Amino acid sequence: MTLGLLGRKMGMTQIYDDKGLAVPVTILELGPCTVLQVRTKERDGYEALQLGFADKPRRLAIRAERGHVARIESKRNKARQAGGATLEPKANCEPKRYIREFRLAEPASQKVGENLTVNLFENVAAVDVIGTTKGRGTTGVMKRHNFGGLGASHGVKRHHRAAGSQSGHATDRGNSGKKKKGKRMAGRYGNERVTVKNLKVVKVDPENNLLLVRGAVPGFSTNFLMVRPTNKRRKTIIYQSAPSKKAKK
Amino acid sequence: MTKSTANGQSKRGAVLALVEEKYRKPAKELKPFEIGDQVEVHQRIQEGSKERIQIFSGTVIARRGSGTREYFTVRRIVQGEGVERKFPLHSPKLARIVVKRSGRVRRAKLYYLRDRVGKATRLREGRKVIVEVLGDEGAKSTKAKQS
């Protein structure tokens, strides 16, 4: 329920901290994000901010997308205005490629059209990153569910990566020989929404709209991401160069 | 994908370079050492609150990686046993690298040295001009020891 930012993964590298130790970091380009809509309890049933990130050429945006970010002349709008209806405020910006909402506990103080930058994470010690993992297509159970597979030798033939037995005659579903519901098997893997929690913020660079976090985030480089301050408390802080977590509280 | 400002793809390499730049050592410090060189690697070792320099000398047999992730491999023979160590080129823990002797080699990876013993591991002398000292810090103390 905290406000975060939208951005994209730029890739991973390695930097050195003040002790001279190598730190594996992911570079995230965060913001500037434009507030496209403010959701309110009275109107929408919940409090949230809708943010947009990365411009999309107007020729590629459909009319609805263009109308979402800026006022477009239309008969309907004219009729509504003539009828005395107040039109929703618009951000007056380019159409956005990546639009997501952040649910909030309190009514938002931001207005439509405001720009949010990575300064938001100035005093944040750790973040959660939400993104889509790399799609792996059809995979077996060893890759998808970390099954052990069968033996490499001792008479095992052509079943080295097999799942093994799926059910017996007497399972929880009666003496039917039916498989249990939700039995883990081979199939599509990846290309799903994943949240990586509690990644330490290594550096905030407002000048270039960059955020450096320790460790990996989901998906390929240039993948779109949602980033928010974590709601987890870091148990052990390995090394801290950013402002302390006390500042966060 | 185009070169539009909002598009990260064309900027990706530039952003990586931008972030890494601060953590890299200046190019002029690193240029002269090459594959096949006999080097002394001076490494800072933290012992409690004290810091001392440990020296590892041997032949550079490989350089790998790019940007801040670049490292090099040094091989030497200790008591008849081959020992290889990899050093991150841009690590602040590397005080300096001294080139003692340059070797003339024809490939970028000298893994064939692993299969050789004794005299066969020698390399032909290479460039005549050897830049002896790379890196500035701790230079004074070690120079004194050498002389």
Side-chain angles (χ1 to χ4, degrees):
Chain A
M1 302 295 266
T2 42
L3 182 61
L5 279 182
L6 308 178
R8 65 162 28 117
K9 173 175 169 177
M10 296 309 269
M12 291 193 72
T13 183
Q14 175 177 303
I15 63 172
Y16 296 97
D17 67 4
D18 39 14
K19 283 180 187 161
L21 298 173
V23 186
V25 292
T26 308
I27 303 168
L28 309 176
E29 186 188 30
L30 286 192
C33 296
T34 314
V35 178
L36 298 182
Q37 251 183 5
V38 179
R39 303 269 188 211
T40 56
K41 190 116 195 174
E42 308 85 70
R43 203 174 63 118
D44 308 290
Y46 61 95
E47 305 285 352
L49 274 189
Q50 189 187 76
L51 304 183
F53 171 71
D55 290 348
K56 188 180 200 172
R58 287 185 198 182
R59 67 190 159 78
L60 296 181
I62 61 172
R63 191 172 160 84
E65 285 171 335
R66 280 180 278 134
H68 187 59
V69 295
R71 180 90 57 225
I72 301 181
E73 285 287 299
S74 72
K75 280 181 191 167
R76 184 169 175 271
N77 270 347
K78 276 179 192 161
R80 286 189 70 199
Q81 257 174 328
T86 49
L87 299 179
E88 287 298 312
K90 297 285 181 184
N92 277 328
C93 59
E94 293 298 310
K96 297 296 176 188
R97 286 186 61 190
Y98 187 59
I99 299 172
R100 289 292 182 277
E101 281 182 14
F102 284 94
R103 293 284 283 261
L104 303 171
E106 306 283 313
S109 57
Q110 286 84 354
K111 294 267 177 336
V112 168
E114 238 175 85
N115 275 332
L116 303 177
T117 64
V118 75
N119 288 322
L120 198 68
F121 291 98
E122 206 70 82
N123 292 321
V124 173
V127 293
D128 296 341
V129 178
I130 304 165
T132 308
T133 57
K134 282 181 186 170
R136 289 166 177 84
T138 308
T139 58
V141 287
M142 286 180 74
K143 188 187 277 265
R144 192 180 184 207
H145 299 300
N146 294 328
F147 280 17
L150 303 185
S153 67
H154 295 296
V156 179
K157 267 183 172 176
R158 302 183 294 277
H159 288 278
H160 309 289
R161 295 180 66 86
S165 162
Q166 294 178 347
S167 103
H169 174 58
T171 63
D172 283 358
R173 300 184 71 190
N175 286 348
S176 58
K178 281 179 187 167
K179 292 169 212 162
K180 275 185 168 179
K181 288 268 178 117
K183 173 74 193 159
R184 292 176 296 167
M185 294 200 230
R188 284 273 183 95
Y189 175 47
N191 195 20
E192 59 190 350
R193 180 187 152 116
V194 165
T195 307
V196 181
K197 292 198 165 184
N198 219 2
L199 292 173
K200 186 183 167 282
V201 173
V202 176
K203 202 180 162 193
V204 183
D205 182 355
E207 199 178 316
N208 301 302
N209 293 320
L210 298 179
L211 183 77
L212 269 58
V213 296
R214 188 177 206 277
V217 306
F220 50 87
S221 293
T222 73
N223 192 19
F224 285 120
L225 302 163
M226 291 169 81
V227 182
R228 63 169 187 232
T230 189
N231 52 7
K232 281 197 169 187
R233 283 279 299 281
R234 228 172 210 287
K235 272 180 194 161
T236 50
I237 293 211
I238 310 162
Y239 17 77
Q240 179 109 42
S241 51
S244 70
K245 59 178 178 180
K246 274 178 194 162
K248 191 189 138 202
K249 282 194 289 185
Chain B
M1 297 284 180
T2 56
K3 271 177 79 184
S4 71
T5 50
N7 190 293
Q9 205 146 31
S10 51
K11 288 197 298 178
R12 211 175 81 75
V15 169
L16 278 172
L18 182 81
V19 171
E20 286 182 353
E21 200 189 349
K22 201 188 138 204
Y23 299 93
R24 294 177 67 157
K25 294 179 179 171
K28 60 174 181 184
E29 279 185 26
L30 301 165
K31 229 177 194 171
F33 100 87
E34 277 169 21
I35 308 293
D37 288 356
Q38 292 276 338
V39 294
E40 272 183 3
V41 182
H42 295 236
Q43 203 185 8
R44 295 197 183 94
I45 307 277
Q46 200 78 30
E47 277 178 346
S49 58
K50 274 189 184 171
E51 197 181 74
R52 67 183 178 83
I53 300 271
Q54 193 185 61
I55 298 175
F56 186 87
S57 52
T59 315
V60 179
I61 63 163
R63 268 175 91 153
R64 218 186 166 94
S66 62
T68 50
R69 290 148 293 173
E70 185 169 357
Y71 68 83
F72 61 98
T73 309
V74 180
R75 180 179 170 88
R76 68 173 298 187
I77 307 291
V78 180
Q79 295 176 347
E81 192 65 41
V83 175
E84 284 179 16
R85 283 194 69 176
K86 289 173 180 174
F87 297 96
L89 191 59
H90 295 281
S91 168
K93 296 238 169 192
L94 283 192
R96 56 203 276 261
I97 303 160
V98 185
V99 179
K100 303 303 266 185
R101 189 171 175 277
S102 155
R104 187 174 173 281
V105 291
R106 300 182 67 161
R107 55 208 72 222
K109 304 281 185 285
L110 307 183
Y111 296 141
Y112 66 85
L113 289 181
R114 291 171 178 169
D115 304 325
R116 296 200 179 174
V117 189
K119 281 190 175 178
T121 57
R122 289 173 307 169
L123 298 170
R124 263 190 295 166
E125 183 88 28
R127 291 160 294 158
K128 279 177 185 166
V129 183
I130 297 174
V131 181
E132 279 234 324
V133 180
L134 306 171
D136 46 1
E137 290 189 62
K140 280 177 199 165
S141 59
T142 355
K143 233 176 209 169
K145 266 181 224 162
Q146 279 170 351
S147 61

